[in-house]
Amino acid sequence: YNGYFVMTQLKVNTISKQSGNNISMNCALNLKNLSSDPSSGNAAGDIYYNTTTNKLRFYSSGWGNL
């Protein structure tokens, strides 16, 4: 981890819209595990698992819990 998230392409065999904005995938989604919020290089939609608080964190205009 160098302070920036590296975005990668998600490839699954199937992905489908269920209802509204909900989607379904047929495989696990593995998130980055970090002990604190990244301080730079953040973009809206970034998600990671905070190992200190044991919570999923989401970036919009700042970090918040999911």
Side-chain angles (χ1 to χ4, degrees), residues 40-61:
S40 63
N42 305 314
D46 286 348
I47 299 173
Y48 82 97
Y49 180 77
N50 186 302
T51 57
T52 301
T53 63
N54 295 319
K55 297 195 182 270
L56 290 176
R57 301 283 285 161
F58 175 83
Y59 189 84
S60 180
S61 57

Side-chain angles (χ1 to χ4, degrees), residues 13-57:
N13 291 333
T14 61
I15 187 167
S16 59
K17 184 175 178 182
Q18 297 297 311
S19 66
N21 291 325
N22 298 321
I23 60 169
S24 174
M25 295 182 292
N26 66 344
C27 61
L29 180 61
N30 294 312
L31 300 175
K32 186 72 94 168
N33 294 309
L34 304 170
S35 61
S36 63
D37 294 342
S39 59
S40 63
N42 305 314
D46 286 348
I47 299 173
Y48 82 97
Y49 180 77
N50 186 302
T51 57
T52 301
T53 63
N54 295 319
K55 297 195 182 270
L56 290 176
R57 301 283 285 161

